[in-house]
Amino acid sequence: MQTLIFGLTFGGIYALMALAIGMINSTTRIMNFAHANLVMLGAMFSHWLCAIVGLGYWPSFLIALVVNTLVGILLYKICVETLGNLANNSNWVVTQFGFSHILANGARHRH
């Protein structure tokens, strides 16, 4: 029973992330390769606020949401907007992969 619940939970999370990636790509025509790592950053920051700082769940969630939004705007400003015309320039793809690796390695070596 526990395996079924975990499977449905993780399947739902993957489905929501795929839906978010599809919505972002269809509205902006920008494929965000750092999307999963941004979700991970928000979850880790929210957990840190709850466990280490001692905030409640909802304040931690809201603060992490604001921080994640600011990081997403920063990602757009650095990786997409500064590189110019997206139709003729694919360098933003490489910068997003780099940003994704920076987030993943930062989470892995957080101590």
Side-chain angles (χ1 to χ4, degrees):
M1 186 63 169
Q2 183 178 7
T3 304
L4 178 65
I5 292 172
F6 282 161
L8 290 173
T9 302
F10 288 125
I13 291 170
Y14 291 147
L16 287 174
M17 287 181 61
L19 180 64
I21 289 172
M23 286 173 49
I24 291 169
N25 188 29
S26 67
T27 56
T28 64
R29 296 289 176 217
I30 297 170
M31 188 55 137
N32 186 357
F33 293 104
H35 185 80
N37 288 328
L38 286 173
V39 171
M40 179 241 355
L41 176 72
M44 287 184 70
F45 191 69
S46 180
H47 173 72
W48 178 77
L49 287 173
C50 280
I52 306 297
V53 177
L55 287 177
Y57 175 76
W58 288 109
S60 298
F61 173 75
L62 293 175
I63 292 170
L65 183 66
V66 170
V67 169
N68 228 24
T69 301
L70 294 175
V71 171
I73 291 170
L74 180 71
L75 171 70
Y76 177 78
K77 295 287 186 188
I78 291 173
C79 296
V80 179
E81 192 175 83
T82 58
L83 294 173
N85 186 1
L86 298 179
N88 299 330
N89 187 355
S90 61
N91 292 335
W92 59 274
V93 174
V94 176
T95 59
Q96 283 194 349
F97 273 125
F99 194 78
S100 175
H101 284 288
I102 288 169
L103 287 176
N105 287 326
R108 190 174 302 129
H109 303 291
R110 67 180 190 269
H111 56 303

